[in-house]
Amino acid sequence: MTDDSKVKTGPVPEGYPRVSPHLFVAGAETAIEFYRAVFGATERMRIREPDGRIGHAELRIGDSLIMLAEEFPEYDAPGPRSVGGTPVAISVHVDDVDEVFDRALAARARPLRPVVDEIYGDRVGMFEDPFGHRWMVATHVEDVPLEEIARRVAASQVQGPT
């Protein structure tokens, strides 16, 4: 038996990208403020659990969406600090990578890689936010054809003894 009252829809809700990271953090309210200050994130939604914890929040960064919640160990949803770190970095293109990187460090992020110009045309740096998530921030500064990237990679290789 089917429920005819349900409205047919597509597999992805309107206004949502197909892929969105969902971050679990210890201190969700503080994390939301960090992402506002560093990335200029805007909050779309915040839902609290009966105990007051943030059960779900959505932050827009440019044309992307980050979902965020407090840690929920009872549902096997720990933040990176609770499990010894993360092997994942979230990549974000920003208007001014140096400015964003400096704002992150001023907001207590830990630098992992300084901002540098990469051979593929982006200026990139990486930091770990105060909640244990790693962010690779970049500004695209040069369009580089694939052949030129390959040439640059080959030229940067250190040749050992033959």
Side-chain angles (χ1 to χ4, degrees):
M1 186 150 134
T2 62
D3 182 352
D4 293 331
S5 67
K6 291 185 179 179
V7 177
K8 283 286 200 187
T9 184
V12 180
E14 188 171 328
Y16 286 81
R18 191 166 284 271
V19 176
S20 297
H22 195 138
L23 309 180
F24 295 102
V25 298
E29 291 204 39
T30 305
I32 290 169
E33 291 309 314
F34 177 88
Y35 301 135
R36 278 185 179 152
V38 172
F39 295 116
T42 57
E43 188 173 332
R44 282 182 22 156
M45 166 190 311
R46 184 184 300 202
I47 300 170
R48 291 196 180 275
E49 294 295 309
D51 65 5
R53 291 183 292 177
I54 294 176
H56 184 80
E58 295 179 0
L59 305 175
R60 177 134 329 260
I61 299 173
D63 61 356
S64 299
L65 185 68
I66 302 287
M67 297 183 187
L68 180 134
E70 193 71 42
E71 289 184 310
F72 283 89
E74 65 271 31
Y75 298 116
D76 198 25
R81 295 262 186 253
S82 295
V83 295
T86 178
V88 174
I90 302 164
S91 181
V92 181
H93 277 91
V94 297
D95 291 338
D96 185 335
V97 67
D98 294 281
E99 182 182 314
V100 168
F101 193 83
D102 290 345
R103 280 198 314 255
L105 299 188
R108 299 183 0 259
R110 182 172 68 95
L112 299 174
R113 275 187 40 208
V115 176
V116 297
D117 291 330
E118 295 288 356
I119 60 174
Y120 48 84
D122 284 359
R123 186 161 170 73
V124 181
M126 188 161 60
F127 61 84
E128 182 177 279
D129 70 27
F131 317 96
H133 291 285
R134 292 176 174 219
W135 297 85
M136 185 170 288
V137 290
T139 299
H140 188 66
V141 295
E142 177 187 16
D143 289 331
V144 184
L146 189 53
E147 303 80 31
E148 176 61 15
I149 292 172
R151 189 198 66 73
R152 291 178 183 183
V153 168
S156 71
Q157 300 297 317
V158 176
Q159 300 296 320
T162 57

